[in-house]
Amino acid sequence: MACAASIAIFLSGCNVGPRYVAPVPPAPPAFKESAPAAYTSAPPGTWQPAQPRDAALKGKWWEIFNEPELNALEEQLNIDNQNIAQYFQNFMAARAQVREARAGYFPTVTVNPAFTKAGGGSSAVSAGTGASTTSTSTTKSGGGTDFALPIDVSWEPDLWGRVRNTVREFQNAAQVSAADLENERLTEQAVLAAFYFELRGQDALQDLYNRTVEADRKALDLTRALFETGIGNSEAVAQAEVTLETAEAMGIGIATNRAIYEHAIATLIGKPASSFSMPVKNLTTPVPAIPVGVPSQLLERRPDIAAAERTMAEANAIIGVEKAAYYPTVSLTGSGGLQSSTLAKLFSLPALFWSLGASASQTIFDAGLRKATVAQYTATYNAGVAAYKQTVLTAFQQVEDYLATVRITSQQIAKQEEAVRAAQRYLDIAMARYQTGLDPYLNVITAQTILLGDQQTEVTLRVSEMAAAVQLIQALGGGWNLTALPTPSQVAKTP
């Protein structure tokens, strides 16, 4: 038995699984859309990314927008968002599976205390007259008592790394779950920020229509006054009334989208939509200078990339588990305990009994099952490698996409501001010419329509710019870093 134990200890260092080496995908030296050349011809005041020497994004990345209300909402989301809570419990379950797998390192011990008592049968004869009864019994056989306290021990030493690879598999799976949790958290944070700026955009549109309605009302009063003095005509009054009513109707419709975004924000922070409201506030937040860094840093900043890499490691460990099936399984068993006919003698030396044993089993024919299983998980690993590389490529693409979107939208806003100023000058001229009787009121309506359209476009572009900025930060991984991913030993600890 000592020899068998020594062999088991010696072979416990064997691991028939493949050694895992994480692939290193090639990364370009810099993001093309963040190069200085992309901003040399940009109008003054348009957006540019932060310089490399500036601080990188931190954990609470939304604070870069300097919006206290958004900060409070994000803090509440991290506590009460139910999607994040679901992913957290999935992570807790994955951690528990690691501890389940680690139990395979140790023997199984069972105890089965027992008490038995055997007795003989008897016959009885009863006779009675009146109020008295006489009973007699005759014993037919003897009996006995037995007390037992047996303990059984069984153990399969991890000769070929099956248990070790299983533990690695679940450790890697727990790390995947941890990365998925952070990716979900980042997604929910980004959605909340995007909805927040969309809602503020609706407030800006509402303010625009309120100002437009007020200007149209003044224009209607003017047409009526000119009509009463004989300078204007009834057609101009009717045209001004239509313009005002149309603007009022469109202004009322803005409330629909605002309500939808407000309800969505309530759900994100774990509140019923019926009990949540946000005060009206115009969109005035400028897009901050976002630190982009270099592409190679992206591999350590995105939780989805970390999850894809850990998925490969998990698949690699499963191959090791399946390869261990080619080798024999050794089982060591032992039993012992105490047994006595009296409780007083149960804990004495004569009551002690024990036995030891060992066995081995080896599959000699399985019709290619083990080979096919290893091939299956090898293919799964190779698929994971491709998925990892695709995730990295997608990450690079997303950063480039949103860099370009923020930059170009910023330049478009600068031009749109000029268009709004030109449209306002056109309206002022048209109104002056109408007041002096040089032009019909139709020219004023045309100028009003152009101005309102340009102002709407400017607000829409500003909302799009803020949404793209949020998406850029999300593409950069927010404030997450690979150092925040729990280690294999950390996921194995009891929470």
Side-chain angles (χ1 to χ4, degrees):
M1 188 65 191
C3 180
S6 300
I7 294 174
I9 294 174
F10 174 75
L11 292 178
S12 64
C14 298
N15 190 337
V16 297
R19 182 172 177 268
Y20 175 72
V21 179
V24 180
F31 290 109
K32 178 181 65 175
E33 296 294 341
S34 67
Y39 301 88
T40 53
S41 59
T46 54
W47 181 84
Q48 292 192 18
Q51 297 300 315
R53 64 178 180 272
D54 294 337
L57 290 167
K58 302 299 182 183
K60 297 181 180 181
W61 55 265
W62 51 86
E63 293 181 350
I64 196 174
F65 293 104
N66 196 26
E67 282 278 339
E69 190 173 7
L70 175 60
N71 296 345
L73 291 171
E74 292 285 3
E75 294 291 349
Q76 196 164 355
L77 175 137
N78 289 330
I79 298 172
D80 296 325
N81 182 271
Q82 296 307 302
N83 289 332
I84 295 176
Q86 178 182 350
Y87 274 79
F88 176 77
Q89 294 303 325
N90 291 342
F91 175 51
M92 290 295 100
R95 291 184 64 176
Q97 285 184 304
V98 178
R99 299 194 297 276
E100 292 173 16
R102 286 176 60 85
Y105 284 132
F106 306 97
T108 300
V109 181
T110 59
V111 61
N112 185 25
F115 166 74
T116 58
K117 183 175 179 61
S122 63
S123 60
V125 179
S126 301
T129 55
S132 64
T133 301
T134 303
S135 176
T136 61
S137 298
T138 304
T139 300
K140 297 174 63 178
S141 62
T145 303
D146 185 67
F147 299 90
L149 188 63
I151 298 176
D152 297 318
V153 180
S154 62
W155 180 46
E156 292 185 5
D158 189 26
L159 303 182
W160 318 112
R162 180 185 62 82
V163 176
R164 275 167 289 160
N165 281 311
T166 301
V167 171
R168 290 193 185 101
E169 171 195 349
F170 286 110
Q171 285 175 332
N172 294 330
Q175 289 180 299
V176 171
S177 183
D180 287 342
L181 168 62
E182 294 307 319
N183 193 54
E184 178 64 20
R185 194 192 310 276
L186 175 60
T187 299
E188 299 292 339
Q189 291 168 346
V191 170
L192 173 60
F195 284 174
Y196 175 84
F197 289 120
E198 289 282 0
L199 184 142
R200 292 300 173 224
Q202 297 302 310
D203 289 344
L205 284 175
Q206 188 67 68
D207 178 67
L208 169 62
Y209 274 99
N210 290 343
R211 289 185 284 109
T212 300
V213 167
E214 183 63 25
D216 290 348
R217 187 173 287 113
K218 291 179 179 179
L220 175 60
D221 293 341
L222 175 63
T223 58
R224 285 172 176 168
L226 293 176
F227 173 68
E228 292 173 357
T229 59
I231 299 176
N233 54 51
S234 60
E235 182 182 6
V237 175
Q239 290 172 333
E241 289 175 346
V242 170
T243 302
L244 173 60
E245 291 170 357
T246 301
E248 288 177 335
M250 294 180 67
I252 292 173
I254 298 298
T256 301
N257 286 338
R258 189 190 195 279
I260 291 174
Y261 286 121
E262 188 177 68
H263 301 161
I265 290 173
T267 301
L268 284 171
I269 62 175
K271 286 189 174 183
S274 304
S275 60
F276 176 78
S277 61
M278 291 181 61
V280 175
K281 180 183 176 183
N282 210 334
L283 178 63
T284 57
T285 306
V287 175
I290 300 170
V292 176
V294 295
S296 59
Q297 294 175 330
L298 197 63
L299 304 179
E300 299 180 353
R301 292 171 56 179
R302 294 220 355 175
D304 59 338
I305 293 178
E309 187 276 324
R310 289 290 85 195
T311 300
M312 285 189 299
E314 177 186 358
N316 184 80
I318 296 176
I319 296 173
V321 173
E322 298 304 325
K323 282 192 172 182
Y326 279 104
Y327 298 88
T329 300
V330 176
S331 298
L332 305 178
T333 59
S335 63
L338 303 169
Q339 186 172 10
S340 175
S341 60
T342 63
L343 186 60
K345 296 180 180 181
L346 180 63
F347 296 98
S348 62
L349 187 60
L352 178 64
F353 69 91
W354 61 271
S355 66
L356 298 174
S359 63
S361 64
Q362 171 68 55
T363 302
I364 59 176
F365 178 73
D366 62 1
L369 175 61
R370 288 170 294 178
K371 182 178 181 181
T373 304
V374 171
Q376 172 193 345
Y377 287 108
T378 301
T380 300
Y381 170 79
N382 292 333
V385 174
Y388 171 72
K389 293 179 179 179
Q390 184 61 38
T391 302
V392 173
L393 290 173
T394 301
F396 290 153
Q397 176 196 345
Q398 290 175 342
V399 174
E400 296 285 8
D401 287 348
Y402 296 125
L403 275 170
T405 301
V406 176
R407 174 176 59 84
I408 295 172
T409 304
S410 174
Q411 296 172 6
Q412 190 176 2
I413 290 173
K415 292 297 183 181
Q416 190 63 33
E417 290 174 344
E418 296 179 6
V420 169
R421 288 191 291 269
Q424 184 64 59
R425 289 194 300 271
Y426 176 35
L427 175 60
D428 294 341
I429 293 172
M431 182 64 72
R433 291 178 65 84
Y434 165 70
Q435 290 175 325
T436 58
L438 295 176
D439 289 335
Y441 191 73
L442 183 60
N443 289 10
V444 175
I445 295 176
T446 301
Q448 289 174 326
T449 302
I450 293 175
L451 176 60
L452 179 59
D454 285 340
Q455 289 173 324
Q456 281 182 299
T457 300
E458 182 184 356
V459 172
T460 302
L461 286 173
R462 290 192 181 280
V463 174
S464 298
E465 183 187 31
M466 296 305 300
V470 171
Q471 291 170 319
L472 173 59
I473 293 175
Q474 182 182 4
L476 291 169
W480 191 81
N481 191 281
L482 191 58
T483 57
L485 189 70
T487 64
S489 60
Q490 288 174 333
V491 297
K493 293 180 179 178
T494 303

